[in-house]
Amino acid sequence: MPSKPNENTVAQATFAPFRLVWRLLSATMLLWFVSCVIQIAYIHWRHVDPVTHIQDQLEYYTGDSASHGLAVQMGTVTFEHLIERWKLHRWKPNKPVTAAGETSVAPMIKRGIWASFQAEIETTIYNTVLFAAKLGVALGLIPLYLTWLFAFGMDGLVQRYIRRACGGYESASIYHRAKLYGTRLLPPFAAVVFMCSPIPISALLIFGPVALFSALLVRLQATYYKKYL
């Protein structure tokens, strides 16, 4: 009689896609928050205009993107549209609210917040558009990353077959360390550096070496995978 699947196993398999989506969204929101904090700190440190600073970065990334159309759609067009809407709906400091000429509390609070945190608010809004453009650039490099992983992984499996035929030893330590550095540490580290950088930096300069080194580690991982399944 075939055994019934465990209820915990079924539950884990059912909710695994939702957990994956939740982790991706959480990581993306955390990256966005960290990038905003770094951009605000950089603007205060260098005393630059937030709009000009981020606009220069957008022009750099939309011209350097592996998917130029996607980056332009997510970056420059959205940025200019956001500026127009911001000019239309930004708070007017001297606009009367009531018919008697008295100023209500809410506009006073808004004016106080705007006067105190104008640079931070503008940086956060514009950095959201820049973050979307960077995300488009990074997504355009995923096929290159997967191609290198597939090629080096297949070569590693060939080396594993040779090792099995020649009676070589397997190494669980090398396998697990290569898995840790190749898939769990290097790609997230490259994503954090690229997405949170306050200055323009080439995506290939960051993800190219990381993809190559990760592919070499995947090859090493496949080579020292256990001989018998």
Side-chain angles (χ1 to χ4, degrees):
M1 295 290 294
S3 59
K4 295 183 179 180
N6 191 0
E7 293 183 358
N8 294 332
T9 305
V10 175
Q12 292 179 0
T14 303
F15 290 101
F18 298 99
R19 286 198 299 268
L20 178 61
V21 173
W22 170 250
R23 290 175 181 175
L24 289 176
L25 290 177
S26 302
T28 304
M29 292 300 297
L30 180 60
L31 275 178
W32 170 81
F33 177 77
V34 174
S35 67
C36 289
V37 172
I38 293 177
Q39 290 283 1
I40 291 173
Y42 181 84
I43 287 173
H44 281 287
W45 176 52
R46 300 288 295 181
H47 301 286
V48 296
D49 180 58
V51 179
T52 305
H53 173 66
I54 297 181
Q55 179 67 44
D56 293 339
Q57 294 187 67
L58 276 172
E59 292 177 356
Y60 175 83
Y61 286 118
T62 52
D64 186 59
S65 173
S67 179
H68 180 74
L70 177 63
V72 171
Q73 184 66 27
M74 298 179 69
T76 306
V77 176
T78 309
F79 186 83
E80 294 178 355
H81 177 68
L82 183 63
I83 289 178
E84 294 298 328
R85 290 186 61 85
W86 181 258
K87 289 179 179 178
L88 290 175
H89 298 284
R90 64 187 304 178
W91 295 315
K92 305 299 189 298
N94 299 321
K95 182 179 180 181
V97 177
T98 60
E102 299 179 353
T103 305
S104 62
V105 178
M108 292 178 61
I109 296 177
K110 291 181 179 180
R111 289 196 298 270
I113 294 176
W114 174 252
S116 302
F117 304 102
Q118 177 180 357
E120 289 79 3
I121 294 173
E122 288 182 345
T123 304
T124 302
I125 294 174
Y126 300 148
N127 183 69
T128 304
V129 183
L130 176 63
F131 187 85
K134 286 185 176 182
L135 188 61
V137 175
L139 291 177
L141 293 175
I142 289 180
L144 174 64
Y145 180 75
L146 295 179
T147 301
W148 284 12
L149 289 185
F150 178 78
F152 280 79
M154 292 301 295
D155 184 68
L157 292 177
V158 172
Q159 295 298 322
R160 172 180 175 269
Y161 179 80
I162 296 174
R163 184 173 55 84
R164 284 184 56 187
C166 298
Y169 294 99
E170 63 183 37
S171 177
S173 177
I174 295 178
Y175 169 80
H176 287 291
R177 289 189 179 182
K179 180 179 180 181
L180 174 65
Y181 289 103
T183 59
R184 297 184 180 181
L185 290 182
L186 287 179
F189 175 75
V192 170
V193 171
F194 177 71
M195 300 297 294
C196 299
S197 174
I199 58 176
I201 185 171
S202 176
L204 289 176
L205 185 63
I206 296 296
F207 291 103
V210 169
L212 179 60
F213 197 64
S214 297
L216 291 173
L217 290 176
V218 167
R219 178 187 180 278
L220 192 65
Q221 176 184 345
T223 301
Y224 287 96
Y225 190 62
K226 54 187 178 180
K227 293 187 291 184
Y228 304 104
L229 300 177

